[in-house]
Amino acid sequence: MASYYTGSSGYEEPHFLESCSLCRKHLGLNSDIFMYRGDKAFCSNECREEQIESDEAKEKSWKVSARSLRKKSSEAAKDCKTVRTGTLVVA
C-alpha cells in the first residue's frame, strides 16, 4: 500500500488506514484496526467508542435544535392573524 495518494488537485492526503481518526496514532501493518461507519479507522476500541459517543451527542443536539425550531415556527403560525385589505364598493 502506498503511503500517500494524490488527489485531482495535487494535494496529498494520507490514506484513511494510516492513522487513527481520533488520536492520529500511526496504524501499524500488523495491528488491529477498529472501523466505524466504513471509512473511519481507529487504533483502539476506546478511540472508536469516543468517536461514537461524540457523534451521538452531536446527533442528539441537532434533533433538539430542529425540534425547538419546529416548535417556534408552529407557535409563530398560531400567533399570526389574518388581515384582509381591499376596497369595498357599495352601490
Side-chain angles (χ1 to χ4, degrees):
M1 170 170 64
S3 181
Y4 292 93
Y5 68 91
T6 305
S8 60
S9 65
Y11 169 72
E12 290 187 0
E13 209 175 284
H15 191 276
F16 77 100
L17 289 175
E18 281 192 357
S19 63
C20 178
S21 294
L22 189 68
C23 70
R24 302 295 179 216
K25 178 182 170 186
H26 179 72
L27 300 173
L29 292 176
N30 291 324
S31 63
D32 289 338
I33 298 175
F34 299 82
M35 299 298 295
Y36 173 56
R37 292 194 172 177
D39 63 349
K40 293 182 181 181
F42 298 91
C43 64
S44 67
N45 195 44
E46 290 78 18
C47 280
R48 181 180 173 272
E49 289 296 323
E50 191 172 329
Q51 183 66 54
I52 291 170
E53 289 171 8
S54 173
D55 289 352
E56 287 174 350
K58 284 179 190 174
E59 187 177 319
K60 185 176 181 179
S61 173
W62 290 334
K63 286 180 179 179
V64 168
S65 294
R67 192 178 316 127
S68 175
L69 239 151
R70 281 194 304 268
K71 184 178 178 182
K72 287 179 184 177
S73 294
S74 67
E75 287 173 358
K78 289 178 186 175
D79 291 341
C80 285
K81 306 275 191 252
T82 304
V83 177
R84 297 176 191 241
T85 60
T87 307
L88 178 64
V89 179
V90 180

